[in-house]
Amino acid sequence: MALAPFTTFGIGGPADLLFHAKSSEELVEVVSIAKDLEIPYFLMGRGANLLIGDRGFRGLVIICEVAGIDFLDGNRVRVGSGVGIYPELTTAAVEKRLGGLHHFVGIPSTVGGAMWQNLHFLSPPPDRSRTVFIEEFVESACILSETGEIAVVDNSYFKFAYDYSILHDRNDIVLTVDFALDQESPQKLRQIMKENLDWRKNRHPDLIRFGSVGSIFKKIEGIGAGRLIDLCGLKGKIHGGAQIFDRHANIIINRGTATASDVLALINLTQATVAQEQGYELEPEITLVGEF
Ligand SMILES: Cc1cc2nc3c(=O)[nH]c(=O)nc-3n(C[C@H](O)[C@H](O)[C@H](O)COP(=O)(O)OP(=O)(O)OC[C@H]3O[C@@H](n4cnc5c(N)ncnc54)[C@H](O)[C@@H]3O)c2cc1C
C-alpha cells in the first residue's frame, strides 16, 4: 500500500505492512508483535514532517490514530496521541473556554508528532514577538518506553528544545498526553485563531492544491533559512514535479507529480548553493524515511 496518501506531501512508495492503531492498547500490541517478530517498524502521525522514499519502507508502518479527548478536573485535558491538534483538539478546547493550543491552528499535526518536534508558532499579533511551544502546555504523558514498559512521565522527561524532544533520541512512543490549559474567553481565542489562519493563508501553500511539509530546513538564528535561499535566487526553482515555493523559499511544494527524488534534488541543490554563495550549512528539519 502506497504511503503517499498518508502524508501531507502526497509522496511516498509502499510499506510492506501497514497498520492503523486506533487505541493505546492496539499501539502497544502491534509494537510488541513487531519487536517479537523482529520486523522493522516506523510510527507516523499525519506525515506532515516526513519525506518518504519512492521505494517505500521495508517493514511495518504504523499510523498513530490513538483517539480520545477527555477533559479532567480544572483546566486539564487527556488526549490520545493520534488526535489532530487542529481542528479536533483546538475546537474541543475552545468549546470548554480553554486556551493554549489555539496558537497552533492550521498546522497539520497529531499530538504524538507535536511532542516529537515540540510544535511551535509565533505569539499572537500585533507584535508576534516570541515563539509559543507546545511544551508550555504539556503536564505529563503516558508512554510506551523503548524498553517496553508503560510509564507516566512529566514534562521534564522530554527535554524539550527548539524542534527537539527526547523522542528524537529514544524509541519511546507517546500514548496519551495531559495538557494543562488556560481559561480564556472564547471570543478572544476565536479572534487569535482567525488571525493565525489568515497569516498562514498568506504565506503557506494551500495543502489541498499543493502538498508540502512546512519548513524544510532548520531555522538559522537571526537570518532565517528562507531568506538565505531567497538571496540565492532559488525561489520558484522547479525540479520534476517539485518546486521551491515562490512565496516562502523554505517550503517545497508538490505540483502534483513530485517524487521523493525530485524533492531530494531540490534539497541538495539548495544546500550546495547556500553553502557556496552564503557560507551557511542548511540542515533539514524533516525526517527522511525508507528507501529512496
Ligand atoms: C502546511 C504545514 C505547516 C506547518 N507549520 C508548522 C509550524 O508552524 N510549526 C511547526 O512546528 N511545524 C509545522 N509544520 C510541520 C508539522 O506540522 C509538525 O512537525 C507536526 O508536529 C508533525 O506531526 P505529524 O503528526 O504529522 O508527525 P509525522 O510527520 O507523522 O511524524 C513526525 C515524527 O513524529 C514521530 N511520532 C509521531 N507520532 C508519535 C508518537 N505517538 N510517539 C512518538 N513519536 C511519534 C514520528 O515517528 C516521526 O519521527 C507544518 C507542516 C505543514 C505541512
Side-chain angles (χ1 to χ4, degrees), residues 8 42-50 64 81 107-110 112-114 116-117 119-121 172-174 200 204 207 212-214:
T8 56
F42 182 77
L43 177 67
M44 57 188 277
R46 291 278 183 280
N49 205 30
L50 308 175
C64 181
S81 55
I107 309 179
S109 179
T110 58
W116 193 84
Q117 188 73 353
L119 193 73
H120 51 80
F121 187 58
D172 298 335
I173 288 176
V174 177
R200 287 186 175 277
H204 281 256
L207 263 190
S212 82
V213 283

PDB file of all heavy atoms in Angstrom, residues 8 42-50 64 81 107-110 112-114 116-117 119-121 172-174 200 204 207 212-214, ligand 1:
ATOM      1  N   THR A   8       1.307  14.686   4.109  1.00  0.00           N
ATOM      2  CA  THR A   8       0.826  15.967   3.570  1.00  0.00           C
ATOM      3  C   THR A   8       1.574  16.350   2.292  1.00  0.00           C
ATOM      4  O   THR A   8       1.117  17.222   1.558  1.00  0.00           O
ATOM      5  CB  THR A   8       0.976  17.100   4.612  1.00  0.00           C
ATOM      6  OG1 THR A   8       2.345  17.157   5.017  1.00  0.00           O
ATOM      7  CG2 THR A   8       0.099  16.867   5.825  1.00  0.00           C
ATOM      8  N   PHE A  42       7.988   1.703  11.677  1.00  0.00           N
ATOM      9  CA  PHE A  42       8.065   3.160  11.770  1.00  0.00           C
ATOM     10  C   PHE A  42       6.669   3.674  12.111  1.00  0.00           C
ATOM     11  O   PHE A  42       5.683   3.261  11.509  1.00  0.00           O
ATOM     12  CB  PHE A  42       8.555   3.787  10.450  1.00  0.00           C
ATOM     13  CG  PHE A  42       8.680   5.281  10.544  1.00  0.00           C
ATOM     14  CD1 PHE A  42       9.760   5.852  11.194  1.00  0.00           C
ATOM     15  CD2 PHE A  42       7.700   6.118  10.022  1.00  0.00           C
ATOM     16  CE1 PHE A  42       9.880   7.232  11.323  1.00  0.00           C
ATOM     17  CE2 PHE A  42       7.803   7.505  10.150  1.00  0.00           C
ATOM     18  CZ  PHE A  42       8.900   8.058  10.799  1.00  0.00           C
ATOM     19  N   LEU A  43       6.627   4.579  13.101  1.00  0.00           N
ATOM     20  CA  LEU A  43       5.354   5.142  13.547  1.00  0.00           C
ATOM     21  C   LEU A  43       5.178   6.523  12.941  1.00  0.00           C
ATOM     22  O   LEU A  43       6.100   7.338  12.971  1.00  0.00           O
ATOM     23  CB  LEU A  43       5.379   5.253  15.077  1.00  0.00           C
ATOM     24  CG  LEU A  43       4.160   5.899  15.741  1.00  0.00           C
ATOM     25  CD1 LEU A  43       2.917   5.028  15.562  1.00  0.00           C
ATOM     26  CD2 LEU A  43       4.446   6.126  17.231  1.00  0.00           C
ATOM     27  N   MET A  44       4.022   6.781  12.372  1.00  0.00           N
ATOM     28  CA  MET A  44       3.783   8.134  11.860  1.00  0.00           C
ATOM     29  C   MET A  44       2.416   8.674  12.291  1.00  0.00           C
ATOM     30  O   MET A  44       1.520   7.911  12.663  1.00  0.00           O
ATOM     31  CB  MET A  44       3.925   8.184  10.332  1.00  0.00           C
ATOM     32  CG  MET A  44       3.039   7.259   9.558  1.00  0.00           C
ATOM     33  SD  MET A  44       3.479   7.263   7.797  1.00  0.00           S
ATOM     34  CE  MET A  44       2.608   8.717   7.235  1.00  0.00           C
ATOM     35  N   GLY A  45       2.315  10.017  12.264  1.00  0.00           N
ATOM     36  CA  GLY A  45       1.051  10.663  12.615  1.00  0.00           C
ATOM     37  C   GLY A  45       0.371  11.105  11.331  1.00  0.00           C
ATOM     38  O   GLY A  45      -0.100  10.286  10.537  1.00  0.00           O
ATOM     39  N   ARG A  46       0.358  12.432  11.073  1.00  0.00           N
ATOM     40  CA  ARG A  46      -0.228  12.956   9.826  1.00  0.00           C
ATOM     41  C   ARG A  46       0.784  12.944   8.674  1.00  0.00           C
ATOM     42  O   ARG A  46       0.453  13.381   7.581  1.00  0.00           O
ATOM     43  CB  ARG A  46      -0.680  14.407  10.004  1.00  0.00           C
ATOM     44  CG  ARG A  46      -1.852  14.613  10.903  1.00  0.00           C
ATOM     45  CD  ARG A  46      -3.165  14.359  10.184  1.00  0.00           C
ATOM     46  NE  ARG A  46      -4.276  14.630  11.068  1.00  0.00           N
ATOM     47  CZ  ARG A  46      -4.726  13.809  11.993  1.00  0.00           C
ATOM     48  NH1 ARG A  46      -4.156  12.626  12.164  1.00  0.00           N
ATOM     49  NH2 ARG A  46      -5.747  14.146  12.757  1.00  0.00           N
ATOM     50  N   GLY A  47       2.027  12.527   8.952  1.00  0.00           N
ATOM     51  CA  GLY A  47       3.050  12.555   7.906  1.00  0.00           C
ATOM     52  C   GLY A  47       3.330  13.979   7.430  1.00  0.00           C
ATOM     53  O   GLY A  47       3.630  14.199   6.264  1.00  0.00           O
ATOM     54  N   ALA A  48       3.252  14.943   8.356  1.00  0.00           N
ATOM     55  CA  ALA A  48       3.410  16.358   7.980  1.00  0.00           C
ATOM     56  C   ALA A  48       4.837  16.856   8.148  1.00  0.00           C
ATOM     57  O   ALA A  48       5.114  18.025   7.896  1.00  0.00           O
ATOM     58  CB  ALA A  48       2.456  17.224   8.808  1.00  0.00           C
ATOM     59  N   ASN A  49       5.717  15.967   8.597  1.00  0.00           N
ATOM     60  CA  ASN A  49       7.117  16.374   8.767  1.00  0.00           C
ATOM     61  C   ASN A  49       8.057  15.319   8.180  1.00  0.00           C
ATOM     62  O   ASN A  49       9.200  15.200   8.589  1.00  0.00           O
ATOM     63  CB  ASN A  49       7.393  16.578  10.265  1.00  0.00           C
ATOM     64  CG  ASN A  49       8.532  17.538  10.523  1.00  0.00           C
ATOM     65  OD1 ASN A  49       8.760  18.442   9.726  1.00  0.00           O
ATOM     66  ND2 ASN A  49       9.255  17.341  11.601  1.00  0.00           N
ATOM     67  N   LEU A  50       7.522  14.551   7.208  1.00  0.00           N
ATOM     68  CA  LEU A  50       8.271  13.405   6.682  1.00  0.00           C
ATOM     69  C   LEU A  50       8.418  13.482   5.167  1.00  0.00           C
ATOM     70  O   LEU A  50       7.506  13.920   4.469  1.00  0.00           O
ATOM     71  CB  LEU A  50       7.516  12.093   6.986  1.00  0.00           C
ATOM     72  CG  LEU A  50       7.079  11.810   8.421  1.00  0.00           C
ATOM     73  CD1 LEU A  50       6.250  10.517   8.445  1.00  0.00           C
ATOM     74  CD2 LEU A  50       8.281  11.689   9.343  1.00  0.00           C
ATOM     75  N   CYS A  64      -0.493   6.292  13.641  1.00  0.00           N
ATOM     76  CA  CYS A  64      -0.994   6.529  15.005  1.00  0.00           C
ATOM     77  C   CYS A  64      -2.328   7.258  14.935  1.00  0.00           C
ATOM     78  O   CYS A  64      -2.383   8.425  14.560  1.00  0.00           O
ATOM     79  CB  CYS A  64       0.030   7.352  15.787  1.00  0.00           C
ATOM     80  SG  CYS A  64      -0.519   7.647  17.467  1.00  0.00           S
ATOM     81  N   SER A  81      -2.672  10.145  21.449  1.00  0.00           N
ATOM     82  CA  SER A  81      -1.556  10.679  20.658  1.00  0.00           C
ATOM     83  C   SER A  81      -1.867  10.780  19.169  1.00  0.00           C
ATOM     84  O   SER A  81      -1.141  11.434  18.425  1.00  0.00           O
ATOM     85  CB  SER A  81      -0.305   9.829  20.861  1.00  0.00           C
ATOM     86  OG  SER A  81      -0.599   8.476  20.554  1.00  0.00           O
ATOM     87  N   ILE A 107      -2.093  24.035  11.679  1.00  0.00           N
ATOM     88  CA  ILE A 107      -0.898  23.200  11.497  1.00  0.00           C
ATOM     89  C   ILE A 107      -1.327  21.728  11.501  1.00  0.00           C
ATOM     90  O   ILE A 107      -1.940  21.274  12.464  1.00  0.00           O
ATOM     91  CB  ILE A 107       0.140  23.420  12.617  1.00  0.00           C
ATOM     92  CG1 ILE A 107       0.442  24.907  12.801  1.00  0.00           C
ATOM     93  CG2 ILE A 107       1.416  22.630  12.320  1.00  0.00           C
ATOM     94  CD1 ILE A 107       1.444  25.212  13.907  1.00  0.00           C
ATOM     95  N   PRO A 108      -1.011  20.976  10.422  1.00  0.00           N
ATOM     96  CA  PRO A 108      -1.363  19.556  10.440  1.00  0.00           C
ATOM     97  C   PRO A 108      -0.424  18.808  11.376  1.00  0.00           C
ATOM     98  O   PRO A 108       0.787  18.774  11.143  1.00  0.00           O
ATOM     99  CB  PRO A 108      -1.153  19.121   8.982  1.00  0.00           C
ATOM    100  CG  PRO A 108      -0.244  20.148   8.379  1.00  0.00           C
ATOM    101  CD  PRO A 108      -0.318  21.390   9.191  1.00  0.00           C
ATOM    102  N   SER A 109      -0.965  18.234  12.434  1.00  0.00           N
ATOM    103  CA  SER A 109      -0.117  17.514  13.396  1.00  0.00           C
ATOM    104  C   SER A 109      -0.976  16.684  14.320  1.00  0.00           C
ATOM    105  O   SER A 109      -2.011  17.137  14.793  1.00  0.00           O
ATOM    106  CB  SER A 109       0.671  18.518  14.257  1.00  0.00           C
ATOM    107  OG  SER A 109       1.472  17.845  15.202  1.00  0.00           O
ATOM    108  N   THR A 110      -0.527  15.461  14.589  1.00  0.00           N
ATOM    109  CA  THR A 110      -1.129  14.716  15.692  1.00  0.00           C
ATOM    110  C   THR A 110      -0.459  15.195  16.980  1.00  0.00           C
ATOM    111  O   THR A 110       0.583  15.867  16.960  1.00  0.00           O
ATOM    112  CB  THR A 110      -0.865  13.206  15.539  1.00  0.00           C
ATOM    113  OG1 THR A 110       0.562  13.002  15.497  1.00  0.00           O
ATOM    114  CG2 THR A 110      -1.519  12.629  14.301  1.00  0.00           C
ATOM    115  N   GLY A 112       1.068  13.194  19.012  1.00  0.00           N
ATOM    116  CA  GLY A 112       2.360  12.492  19.066  1.00  0.00           C
ATOM    117  C   GLY A 112       3.435  13.207  18.259  1.00  0.00           C
ATOM    118  O   GLY A 112       4.561  13.400  18.728  1.00  0.00           O
ATOM    119  N   GLY A 113       3.087  13.622  17.036  1.00  0.00           N
ATOM    120  CA  GLY A 113       4.032  14.352  16.184  1.00  0.00           C
ATOM    121  C   GLY A 113       4.423  15.682  16.815  1.00  0.00           C
ATOM    122  O   GLY A 113       5.581  16.108  16.739  1.00  0.00           O
ATOM    123  N   ALA A 114       3.456  16.328  17.463  1.00  0.00           N
ATOM    124  CA  ALA A 114       3.726  17.620  18.114  1.00  0.00           C
ATOM    125  C   ALA A 114       4.705  17.446  19.285  1.00  0.00           C
ATOM    126  O   ALA A 114       5.559  18.307  19.525  1.00  0.00           O
ATOM    127  CB  ALA A 114       2.418  18.220  18.609  1.00  0.00           C
ATOM    128  N   TRP A 116       6.987  15.103  19.445  1.00  0.00           N
ATOM    129  CA  TRP A 116       8.284  14.719  18.868  1.00  0.00           C
ATOM    130  C   TRP A 116       9.092  15.966  18.502  1.00  0.00           C
ATOM    131  O   TRP A 116      10.281  16.062  18.759  1.00  0.00           O
ATOM    132  CB  TRP A 116       8.046  13.847  17.638  1.00  0.00           C
ATOM    133  CG  TRP A 116       9.259  13.141  17.150  1.00  0.00           C
ATOM    134  CD1 TRP A 116       9.755  11.951  17.611  1.00  0.00           C
ATOM    135  CD2 TRP A 116      10.142  13.573  16.109  1.00  0.00           C
ATOM    136  NE1 TRP A 116      10.886  11.626  16.917  1.00  0.00           N
ATOM    137  CE2 TRP A 116      11.152  12.590  15.991  1.00  0.00           C
ATOM    138  CE3 TRP A 116      10.171  14.681  15.267  1.00  0.00           C
ATOM    139  CZ2 TRP A 116      12.183  12.692  15.069  1.00  0.00           C
ATOM    140  CZ3 TRP A 116      11.204  14.786  14.342  1.00  0.00           C
ATOM    141  CH2 TRP A 116      12.195  13.800  14.253  1.00  0.00           C
ATOM    142  N   GLN A 117       8.397  16.939  17.909  1.00  0.00           N
ATOM    143  CA  GLN A 117       9.080  18.102  17.333  1.00  0.00           C
ATOM    144  C   GLN A 117       8.938  19.350  18.193  1.00  0.00           C
ATOM    145  O   GLN A 117       9.486  20.384  17.869  1.00  0.00           O
ATOM    146  CB  GLN A 117       8.487  18.337  15.926  1.00  0.00           C
ATOM    147  CG  GLN A 117       9.168  19.360  15.059  1.00  0.00           C
ATOM    148  CD  GLN A 117      10.498  18.874  14.517  1.00  0.00           C
ATOM    149  OE1 GLN A 117      10.985  17.817  14.888  1.00  0.00           O
ATOM    150  NE2 GLN A 117      11.103  19.662  13.660  1.00  0.00           N
ATOM    151  N   LEU A 119       6.100  21.191  18.764  1.00  0.00           N
ATOM    152  CA  LEU A 119       5.361  22.061  17.827  1.00  0.00           C
ATOM    153  C   LEU A 119       5.401  23.522  18.300  1.00  0.00           C
ATOM    154  O   LEU A 119       5.269  23.787  19.488  1.00  0.00           O
ATOM    155  CB  LEU A 119       3.906  21.582  17.765  1.00  0.00           C
ATOM    156  CG  LEU A 119       3.056  22.139  16.645  1.00  0.00           C
ATOM    157  CD1 LEU A 119       3.445  21.532  15.313  1.00  0.00           C
ATOM    158  CD2 LEU A 119       1.579  21.869  16.921  1.00  0.00           C
ATOM    159  N   HIS A 120       5.553  24.428  17.350  1.00  0.00           N
ATOM    160  CA  HIS A 120       5.689  25.833  17.754  1.00  0.00           C
ATOM    161  C   HIS A 120       5.112  26.774  16.705  1.00  0.00           C
ATOM    162  O   HIS A 120       5.009  26.429  15.527  1.00  0.00           O
ATOM    163  CB  HIS A 120       7.154  26.181  18.005  1.00  0.00           C
ATOM    164  CG  HIS A 120       8.050  25.779  16.872  1.00  0.00           C
ATOM    165  ND1 HIS A 120       8.192  26.518  15.729  1.00  0.00           N
ATOM    166  CD2 HIS A 120       8.821  24.680  16.713  1.00  0.00           C
ATOM    167  CE1 HIS A 120       9.027  25.905  14.916  1.00  0.00           C
ATOM    168  NE2 HIS A 120       9.417  24.770  15.475  1.00  0.00           N
ATOM    169  N   PHE A 121       4.744  27.942  17.195  1.00  0.00           N
ATOM    170  CA  PHE A 121       4.300  29.003  16.285  1.00  0.00           C
ATOM    171  C   PHE A 121       4.477  30.344  16.992  1.00  0.00           C
ATOM    172  O   PHE A 121       4.685  30.394  18.201  1.00  0.00           O
ATOM    173  CB  PHE A 121       2.827  28.800  15.861  1.00  0.00           C
ATOM    174  CG  PHE A 121       2.413  29.788  14.806  1.00  0.00           C
ATOM    175  CD1 PHE A 121       3.093  29.860  13.606  1.00  0.00           C
ATOM    176  CD2 PHE A 121       1.381  30.687  15.033  1.00  0.00           C
ATOM    177  CE1 PHE A 121       2.757  30.798  12.640  1.00  0.00           C
ATOM    178  CE2 PHE A 121       1.031  31.625  14.070  1.00  0.00           C
ATOM    179  CZ  PHE A 121       1.722  31.676  12.872  1.00  0.00           C
ATOM    180  N   ASP A 172      10.884   5.843  22.383  1.00  0.00           N
ATOM    181  CA  ASP A 172       9.640   5.822  23.157  1.00  0.00           C
ATOM    182  C   ASP A 172       8.466   6.175  22.255  1.00  0.00           C
ATOM    183  O   ASP A 172       8.631   6.911  21.277  1.00  0.00           O
ATOM    184  CB  ASP A 172       9.676   6.874  24.269  1.00  0.00           C
ATOM    185  CG  ASP A 172      10.790   6.638  25.273  1.00  0.00           C
ATOM    186  OD1 ASP A 172      11.226   5.476  25.418  1.00  0.00           O
ATOM    187  OD2 ASP A 172      11.215   7.619  25.897  1.00  0.00           O
ATOM    188  N   ILE A 173       7.300   5.694  22.640  1.00  0.00           N
ATOM    189  CA  ILE A 173       6.082   6.030  21.891  1.00  0.00           C
ATOM    190  C   ILE A 173       5.110   6.724  22.842  1.00  0.00           C
ATOM    191  O   ILE A 173       4.862   6.234  23.954  1.00  0.00           O
ATOM    192  CB  ILE A 173       5.472   4.746  21.302  1.00  0.00           C
ATOM    193  CG1 ILE A 173       6.370   4.269  20.148  1.00  0.00           C
ATOM    194  CG2 ILE A 173       4.035   4.972  20.836  1.00  0.00           C
ATOM    195  CD1 ILE A 173       5.947   2.978  19.532  1.00  0.00           C
ATOM    196  N   VAL A 174       4.587   7.853  22.411  1.00  0.00           N
ATOM    197  CA  VAL A 174       3.618   8.578  23.237  1.00  0.00           C
ATOM    198  C   VAL A 174       2.243   7.953  23.020  1.00  0.00           C
ATOM    199  O   VAL A 174       1.801   7.794  21.874  1.00  0.00           O
ATOM    200  CB  VAL A 174       3.596  10.073  22.853  1.00  0.00           C
ATOM    201  CG1 VAL A 174       2.538  10.813  23.661  1.00  0.00           C
ATOM    202  CG2 VAL A 174       4.972  10.697  23.043  1.00  0.00           C
ATOM    203  N   ARG A 200      -1.362  32.270   7.951  1.00  0.00           N
ATOM    204  CA  ARG A 200      -0.920  31.082   7.192  1.00  0.00           C
ATOM    205  C   ARG A 200      -1.360  31.140   5.732  1.00  0.00           C
ATOM    206  O   ARG A 200      -0.613  30.795   4.832  1.00  0.00           O
ATOM    207  CB  ARG A 200      -1.510  29.803   7.810  1.00  0.00           C
ATOM    208  CG  ARG A 200      -0.875  29.455   9.071  1.00  0.00           C
ATOM    209  CD  ARG A 200      -1.279  28.154   9.675  1.00  0.00           C
ATOM    210  NE  ARG A 200      -0.410  28.040  10.824  1.00  0.00           N
ATOM    211  CZ  ARG A 200       0.834  27.596  10.782  1.00  0.00           C
ATOM    212  NH1 ARG A 200       1.344  27.142   9.667  1.00  0.00           N
ATOM    213  NH2 ARG A 200       1.584  27.590  11.857  1.00  0.00           N
ATOM    214  N   HIS A 204       1.613  30.401   3.361  1.00  0.00           N
ATOM    215  CA  HIS A 204       1.817  28.964   3.112  1.00  0.00           C
ATOM    216  C   HIS A 204       1.018  28.511   1.893  1.00  0.00           C
ATOM    217  O   HIS A 204      -0.026  29.070   1.599  1.00  0.00           O
ATOM    218  CB  HIS A 204       1.372  28.146   4.339  1.00  0.00           C
ATOM    219  CG  HIS A 204       2.377  28.138   5.440  1.00  0.00           C
ATOM    220  ND1 HIS A 204       3.188  27.071   5.702  1.00  0.00           N
ATOM    221  CD2 HIS A 204       2.717  29.083   6.331  1.00  0.00           C
ATOM    222  CE1 HIS A 204       3.984  27.358   6.707  1.00  0.00           C
ATOM    223  NE2 HIS A 204       3.715  28.576   7.112  1.00  0.00           N
ATOM    224  N   LEU A 207      -2.694  23.436   1.129  1.00  0.00           N
ATOM    225  CA  LEU A 207      -2.373  21.988   1.135  1.00  0.00           C
ATOM    226  C   LEU A 207      -3.277  21.179   0.215  1.00  0.00           C
ATOM    227  O   LEU A 207      -2.880  20.124  -0.286  1.00  0.00           O
ATOM    228  CB  LEU A 207      -2.519  21.435   2.555  1.00  0.00           C
ATOM    229  CG  LEU A 207      -1.268  21.313   3.428  1.00  0.00           C
ATOM    230  CD1 LEU A 207      -1.586  20.533   4.680  1.00  0.00           C
ATOM    231  CD2 LEU A 207      -0.097  20.682   2.677  1.00  0.00           C
ATOM    232  N   SER A 212       2.861  19.698   0.885  1.00  0.00           N
ATOM    233  CA  SER A 212       4.101  20.263   1.440  1.00  0.00           C
ATOM    234  C   SER A 212       4.291  19.698   2.847  1.00  0.00           C
ATOM    235  O   SER A 212       3.420  18.983   3.359  1.00  0.00           O
ATOM    236  CB  SER A 212       4.059  21.792   1.479  1.00  0.00           C
ATOM    237  OG  SER A 212       3.363  22.235   2.627  1.00  0.00           O
ATOM    238  N   VAL A 213       5.414  20.030   3.442  1.00  0.00           N
ATOM    239  CA  VAL A 213       5.648  19.606   4.838  1.00  0.00           C
ATOM    240  C   VAL A 213       6.101  20.797   5.688  1.00  0.00           C
ATOM    241  O   VAL A 213       6.832  20.629   6.649  1.00  0.00           O
ATOM    242  CB  VAL A 213       6.690  18.458   4.940  1.00  0.00           C
ATOM    243  CG1 VAL A 213       6.079  17.129   4.559  1.00  0.00           C
ATOM    244  CG2 VAL A 213       7.926  18.751   4.097  1.00  0.00           C
ATOM    245  N   GLY A 214       5.650  21.985   5.354  1.00  0.00           N
ATOM    246  CA  GLY A 214       6.087  23.170   6.101  1.00  0.00           C
ATOM    247  C   GLY A 214       7.562  23.441   5.794  1.00  0.00           C
ATOM    248  O   GLY A 214       8.044  23.141   4.698  1.00  0.00           O
TER     249      GLY A 214
HETATM  250  C1  LIG B   1       1.419  23.305   5.869  1.00  0.00           C
HETATM  251  C2  LIG B   1       2.305  22.954   7.032  1.00  0.00           C
HETATM  252  C3  LIG B   1       2.586  23.912   8.004  1.00  0.00           C
HETATM  253  C4  LIG B   1       3.413  23.602   9.092  1.00  0.00           C
HETATM  254  N1  LIG B   1       3.635  24.573  10.039  1.00  0.00           N
HETATM  255  C5  LIG B   1       4.342  24.260  11.149  1.00  0.00           C
HETATM  256  C6  LIG B   1       4.524  25.236  12.187  1.00  0.00           C
HETATM  257  O1  LIG B   1       4.054  26.364  12.119  1.00  0.00           O
HETATM  258  N2  LIG B   1       5.220  24.869  13.289  1.00  0.00           N
HETATM  259  C7  LIG B   1       5.756  23.628  13.411  1.00  0.00           C
HETATM  260  O2  LIG B   1       6.366  23.345  14.465  1.00  0.00           O
HETATM  261  N3  LIG B   1       5.613  22.682  12.447  1.00  0.00           N
HETATM  262  C8  LIG B   1       4.915  22.965  11.322  1.00  0.00           C
HETATM  263  N4  LIG B   1       4.760  22.033  10.337  1.00  0.00           N
HETATM  264  C9  LIG B   1       5.400  20.698  10.466  1.00  0.00           C
HETATM  265  C10 LIG B   1       4.480  19.613  11.069  1.00  0.00           C
HETATM  266  O3  LIG B   1       3.148  20.041  11.064  1.00  0.00           O
HETATM  267  C11 LIG B   1       4.896  19.255  12.503  1.00  0.00           C
HETATM  268  O4  LIG B   1       6.225  18.807  12.563  1.00  0.00           O
HETATM  269  C12 LIG B   1       3.964  18.212  13.127  1.00  0.00           C
HETATM  270  O5  LIG B   1       4.197  18.153  14.518  1.00  0.00           O
HETATM  271  C13 LIG B   1       4.131  16.813  12.523  1.00  0.00           C
HETATM  272  O6  LIG B   1       3.159  15.973  13.118  1.00  0.00           O
HETATM  273  P1  LIG B   1       2.702  14.605  12.469  1.00  0.00           P
HETATM  274  O7  LIG B   1       1.621  14.032  13.294  1.00  0.00           O
HETATM  275  O8  LIG B   1       2.403  14.801  11.046  1.00  0.00           O
HETATM  276  O9  LIG B   1       4.027  13.735  12.636  1.00  0.00           O
HETATM  277  P2  LIG B   1       4.756  12.875  11.487  1.00  0.00           P
HETATM  278  O10 LIG B   1       5.298  13.808  10.461  1.00  0.00           O
HETATM  279  O11 LIG B   1       3.878  11.785  11.003  1.00  0.00           O
HETATM  280  O12 LIG B   1       5.959  12.253  12.309  1.00  0.00           O
HETATM  281  C14 LIG B   1       6.980  13.109  12.781  1.00  0.00           C
HETATM  282  C15 LIG B   1       7.794  12.336  13.834  1.00  0.00           C
HETATM  283  O13 LIG B   1       6.975  12.150  14.998  1.00  0.00           O
HETATM  284  C16 LIG B   1       7.065  10.790  15.390  1.00  0.00           C
HETATM  285  N5  LIG B   1       5.802  10.428  16.056  1.00  0.00           N
HETATM  286  C17 LIG B   1       4.543  10.529  15.554  1.00  0.00           C
HETATM  287  N6  LIG B   1       3.647  10.073  16.468  1.00  0.00           N
HETATM  288  C18 LIG B   1       4.368   9.697  17.555  1.00  0.00           C
HETATM  289  C19 LIG B   1       4.005   9.137  18.828  1.00  0.00           C
HETATM  290  N7  LIG B   1       2.737   8.873  19.163  1.00  0.00           N
HETATM  291  N8  LIG B   1       5.014   8.855  19.704  1.00  0.00           N
HETATM  292  C20 LIG B   1       6.320   9.109  19.369  1.00  0.00           C
HETATM  293  N9  LIG B   1       6.704   9.626  18.191  1.00  0.00           N
HETATM  294  C21 LIG B   1       5.745   9.923  17.301  1.00  0.00           C
HETATM  295  C22 LIG B   1       7.266  10.018  14.089  1.00  0.00           C
HETATM  296  O14 LIG B   1       7.827   8.727  14.325  1.00  0.00           O
HETATM  297  C23 LIG B   1       8.219  10.947  13.354  1.00  0.00           C
HETATM  298  O15 LIG B   1       9.548  10.687  13.737  1.00  0.00           O
HETATM  299  C24 LIG B   1       3.962  22.312   9.228  1.00  0.00           C
HETATM  300  C25 LIG B   1       3.666  21.340   8.236  1.00  0.00           C
HETATM  301  C26 LIG B   1       2.855  21.657   7.164  1.00  0.00           C
HETATM  302  C27 LIG B   1       2.544  20.601   6.152  1.00  0.00           C
END
